[in-house]
Amino acid sequence: MEEDFPSLPEECWELIFNFLLHPRHTHHFESLSLVCKQFFSITNKLRTTLRISNLTIPAIPRIYSRFLNLKRIDLSHFNGLLDGLLLGIAQSGLDIESLDISNQKTIPVHDLMVFGSAMQNLRVLLCSKIKLLPDEHLVVIGKAFPNLEELDISYPTNVLGYHNFVEIEGEVTDSGFLALVQRLPRLCKVNLSGITFVTDKSLLALATGCMMLREIVICDCDFITRSGIAQALSQNPNLCSISANWIGMPSIRSDLIHWFDSLQNLTSLVLYDSNISDEVLNSVANSCLSLKKLVLSRCSNFSLSGILLLLYKNLPIEWFCLEAAEFLTDESVKELSEFLPMVKFINLSNCSNLTCSSLFILARNCPALTDIYMKNVNLKNEHYTTDFVNNQLMSLDLSENKNLCNEGLGKIASSFPNLELLKLNHCGGITEEGLGEVLSVCTKIRHLELNFCTGIKNIVMKFQLSAMEVLRLRRLVIEDSTLAMVGRRCPSLIHLDLLGCSKVTAEGVMEVVRNCRGLREINIWDCCEIGVSIVPLMVFSRPSLREIVQTNSLLSANLKNFFLSHGCVVYDDGSLWDLKGFSENSL
């Protein structure tokens, strides 16, 4: 390689690697780094994100010295003590801009102060679902990171409760949040969701004290009211995104009119489980906003007319969600599609009147569309023909459509041959014949979910599926022949979920382990035909494995540490694994 391209500068290789590799697939840098010393050096420079887990700890000093351009560190999957870890990062010489310490028991305040003094350019701090987050810790955050621009302190998991409406000790309250806001004038994005005891007072202080505020998320905040939102947001005309739920807006009021009129920069409006009305939607439309994202999920008391007027005034919408809008029909979807020329993502899940016709109407009339979510609608065996092919659609979620059958699925697959992500969870009417047709047409599928598809007894893959990386087959009654097929046809597989597949054995699992050289995560929890003896076989047969959720057996701490020393974390309980996907940024 070096002899063929002696004069090609590293900058050119960096451009090539970034062009070839999907931004979410940084794990492929590992393979490139093995080609030659030059590629090893280049890929080290290109990695900017690191997810630290218990697996990473033994190699931490080497990681910091190897990846000198790290900007984002994710500790949300680390379940040890943060104290020494934060100090190590502070002393590493790295210039970290984003830190995620979500899901921790508490925040080590002393170490956080040291970290803040060393990382002057930290702009993003994510600390969601912290078990103990009192007001005092918010004060420390404000002192440690005065230049913070994004903060997530959502859903602290303290034991919540009321005693004569008195705030429980240890909770975040207005007092702590006010002290925090006073120290963070540069805040642009804040997530306060799930913080029970903050009130309208905190929201007003945020709006008036942080004039650079652009985005705010306030879901499940019990003491923040509609009037408080209107008052606070009218004080900050720069706001461009708001997400909230349980907002009652059944009729228009002067405060709401003033709210929408004052938010001329609003581009994203996200409302969940709220009571709105056509009058409110008309007010939004008449405010001449340039909305790019509109989400009205599980909302009530509005109609198609209100939505049509809003879309007529907001053609730039790129992200559109009307989940559980009971008034939607195939005919109304056709009307909506005429006002969505730039939409890229649509979610019409739980709209029970929609059929396959709506799916094809959207795909035909919305040329920019790449993602469609139509879970739990009314996809069934209909006599329709499709005379078009949409090569743009990349992601399709049709989960929980119990009436979807092989014929309908075949027509869908033939219309969307370039699908990369397909979810068919809980689609009991699909059998291996229908799935085989999909896999014969959609050969670029990267992510496939078939969890709880009771009609699938086997999976036939007639062609090589070289792009397949994520395969989830929970509770299927497949046998070893299917796993042998997966091993032969899916050489790039990274993540395999076999939870509850009661008929597969160790022999079938080892077929996948031996043939899928990049396999990183596998779940065999509750596979009753597989014994614990398979774990060492997997670890030593496939060095790429990083996480295993093993069968219903317990391993000793010494044995777990032994596997950890060989680069693999082994879990005893399937419920402990998040299963959101492969560990993109873990090492």
Side-chain angles (χ1 to χ4, degrees):
M1 184 66 68
E2 293 174 353
E3 294 178 0
D4 292 340
F5 304 100
S7 60
L8 195 62
E10 288 194 357
E11 290 80 4
C12 291
W13 284 118
E14 290 180 13
L15 291 174
I16 292 171
F17 292 165
N18 283 325
F19 176 77
L20 291 176
L21 299 181
H22 194 288
R24 292 174 295 181
H25 300 177
T26 56
H27 54 270
H28 289 316
F29 285 153
E30 185 174 337
S31 300
L32 284 172
S33 67
L34 300 176
V35 174
C36 62
K37 291 182 179 179
Q38 184 185 19
F39 283 14
F40 179 82
S41 174
I42 293 171
T43 53
N44 288 348
K45 295 177 183 178
L46 293 178
R47 182 181 284 275
T48 59
T49 301
L50 172 68
R51 193 193 80 171
I52 296 178
S53 65
N54 293 58
L55 173 64
T56 323
I57 296 303
I60 282 292
R62 297 195 304 275
I63 290 174
Y64 295 157
S65 59
R66 176 180 172 183
F67 303 110
L68 300 178
N69 292 329
L70 288 177
K71 297 297 181 183
R72 295 176 292 276
I73 289 185
D74 180 2
L75 294 166
S76 62
H77 292 78
F78 177 70
N79 58 11
L81 296 176
L82 288 181
D83 302 59
L85 195 53
L86 289 178
L87 285 178
I89 300 173
Q91 297 166 0
S92 66
L94 297 171
D95 185 16
I96 303 301
E97 297 175 358
S98 173
L99 177 67
D100 187 347
I101 55 174
S102 301
N103 305 314
Q104 303 299 320
K105 294 180 179 179
T106 187
I107 295 176
V109 291
H110 175 266
D111 289 25
L112 203 66
M113 288 295 297
V114 176
F115 185 93
S117 63
M119 303 296 171
Q120 297 290 324
N121 291 323
L122 193 84
R123 297 292 183 268
V124 178
L125 179 63
L126 309 178
C127 36
S128 177
K129 299 180 182 178
I130 300 293
K131 290 186 178 179
L132 180 60
L133 187 66
D135 285 340
E136 293 79 6
H137 289 186
L138 296 189
V139 176
V140 171
I141 290 174
K143 290 180 179 179
F145 308 110
N147 296 319
L148 212 57
E149 296 176 1
E150 179 179 342
L151 176 64
D152 183 351
I153 54 174
S154 61
Y155 296 102
T157 55
N158 305 354
V159 178
L160 300 180
Y162 300 89
H163 180 67
N164 296 327
F165 293 96
V166 176
E167 299 156 353
I168 300 174
E169 184 178 358
E171 297 289 342
V172 173
T173 68
D174 285 338
S175 176
F177 190 75
L178 292 174
L180 173 70
V181 169
Q182 291 174 0
R183 295 179 179 274
L184 301 178
R186 300 189 181 200
L187 275 180
C188 299
K189 180 179 179 180
V190 181
N191 189 343
L192 303 179
S193 298
I195 300 181
T196 304
F197 294 108
V198 294
T199 69
D200 293 342
K201 183 178 180 181
S202 289
L203 191 59
L204 182 61
L206 179 65
T208 56
C210 303
M211 296 310 296
M212 298 175 67
L213 190 66
R214 296 291 182 272
E215 182 175 345
I216 184 168
V217 184
I218 46 175
C219 296
D220 299 318
C221 295
D222 296 346
F223 294 115
I224 290 180
T225 66
R226 180 187 68 181
S227 298
I229 293 174
Q231 181 185 8
L233 301 185
S234 65
Q235 302 297 315
N236 196 320
N238 296 320
L239 196 77
C240 62
S241 175
I242 178 171
S243 301
N245 66 347
W246 302 110
I247 304 298
M249 298 189 289
S251 61
I252 199 69
R253 285 180 17 178
S254 59
D255 57 352
L256 288 174
I257 295 176
H258 182 60
W259 174 16
F260 293 126
D261 286 341
S262 65
L263 296 178
Q264 291 302 304
N265 293 318
L266 193 69
T267 59
S268 175
L269 178 61
V270 179
L271 297 176
Y272 301 99
D273 303 297
S274 296
N275 184 11
I276 59 177
S277 66
D278 286 347
E279 198 175 3
V280 172
L281 296 179
N282 291 345
S283 176
V284 177
N286 293 329
S287 297
C288 298
L289 305 175
S290 296
L291 288 177
K292 291 186 177 181
K293 182 174 183 178
L294 176 63
V295 175
L296 301 176
S297 180
R298 303 181 302 275
C299 293
S300 59
N301 203 36
F302 67 102
S303 70
L304 178 64
S305 299
I307 288 294
L308 287 174
L309 178 60
L310 180 55
L311 292 181
Y312 176 74
K313 296 290 186 71
N314 285 276
L315 291 180
I317 284 181
E318 298 178 0
W319 183 293
F320 184 61
C321 173
L322 282 184
E323 183 180 3
E326 296 181 356
F327 58 81
L328 281 185
T329 64
D330 291 339
E331 187 61 32
S332 58
V333 168
K334 184 177 181 180
E335 292 185 68
L336 289 173
S337 67
E338 296 174 0
F339 299 99
L340 294 168
M342 301 176 67
V343 71
K344 297 179 181 179
F345 173 93
I346 286 183
N347 184 357
L348 299 180
S349 297
N350 299 305
C351 296
S352 58
N353 297 318
L354 302 187
T355 70
C356 283
S357 296
S358 289
L359 174 62
F360 293 126
I361 287 169
L362 291 171
R364 185 192 298 272
N365 296 346
C366 304
L369 194 58
T370 60
D371 298 74
I372 297 179
Y373 281 27
M374 290 182 65
K375 299 168 56 178
N376 192 30
V377 293
N378 192 22
L379 304 186
K380 56 185 179 181
N381 189 18
E382 301 170 290
H383 297 289
Y384 53 80
T385 58
T386 57
D387 56 356
F388 77 100
V389 174
N390 183 318
N391 292 313
Q392 183 77 12
L393 197 71
M394 311 285 283
S395 176
L396 184 61
D397 188 350
L398 302 178
S399 300
E400 300 173 36
N401 279 287
K402 60 182 180 180
N403 294 322
L404 180 63
C405 64
N406 292 340
E407 181 182 356
L409 184 61
K411 293 177 180 179
I412 291 170
S414 62
S415 299
F416 310 121
N418 289 334
L419 281 177
E420 292 187 4
L421 184 149
L422 178 61
K423 296 183 180 182
L424 299 170
N425 303 317
H426 296 275
C427 292
I430 298 172
T431 69
E432 49 265 33
E433 288 79 11
L435 179 61
E437 185 174 352
V438 171
L439 297 179
S440 297
V441 176
C442 305
T443 57
K444 297 180 181 179
I445 283 186
R446 176 183 60 84
H447 183 129
L448 178 63
E449 296 190 11
L450 303 169
N451 300 323
F452 301 94
C453 288
T454 54
I456 296 177
K457 315 295 183 184
N458 187 26
I459 297 178
V460 178
M461 302 176 180
K462 298 180 181 179
F463 304 100
Q464 195 85 346
L465 298 173
S466 55
M468 185 74 75
E469 295 184 342
V470 179
L471 187 57
R472 296 182 179 170
L473 309 174
R474 287 189 171 195
R475 301 293 177 186
L476 298 195
V477 289
I478 56 173
E479 298 181 354
D480 289 345
S481 58
T482 291
L483 296 185
M485 179 73 69
V486 170
R488 292 194 302 270
R489 299 297 192 191
C490 305
S492 302
L493 195 66
I494 293 171
H495 173 106
L496 178 62
D497 187 358
L498 298 173
L499 184 147
C501 294
S502 58
K503 291 190 175 183
V504 299
T505 70
E507 182 180 352
V509 171
M510 289 306 298
E511 283 291 317
V512 176
V513 172
R514 280 190 291 265
N515 290 299
C516 300
R517 297 185 177 184
L519 190 67
R520 297 174 72 89
E521 300 177 354
I522 186 168
N523 185 357
I524 54 173
W525 173 256
D526 206 21
C527 294
C528 53
E529 295 296 324
I530 301 176
V532 71
S533 59
I534 194 177
V535 175
L537 290 176
M538 289 194 291
V539 172
F540 298 122
S541 299
R542 181 53 54 214
S544 63
L545 271 172
R546 295 292 180 263
E547 292 178 311
I548 296 174
V549 183
Q550 61 125 352
T551 57
N552 307 34
S553 303
L554 294 177
L555 293 177
S556 67
N558 288 338
L559 200 52
K560 286 185 179 180
N561 289 333
F562 178 69
F563 294 138
L564 184 61
S565 69
H566 286 78
C568 187
V569 178
V570 179
Y571 300 98
D572 288 327
D573 188 347
S575 64
L576 297 178
W577 208 26
D578 195 17
L579 290 178
K580 287 183 178 178
F582 42 82
S583 302
E584 301 163 7
N585 300 313
S586 63
L587 290 174

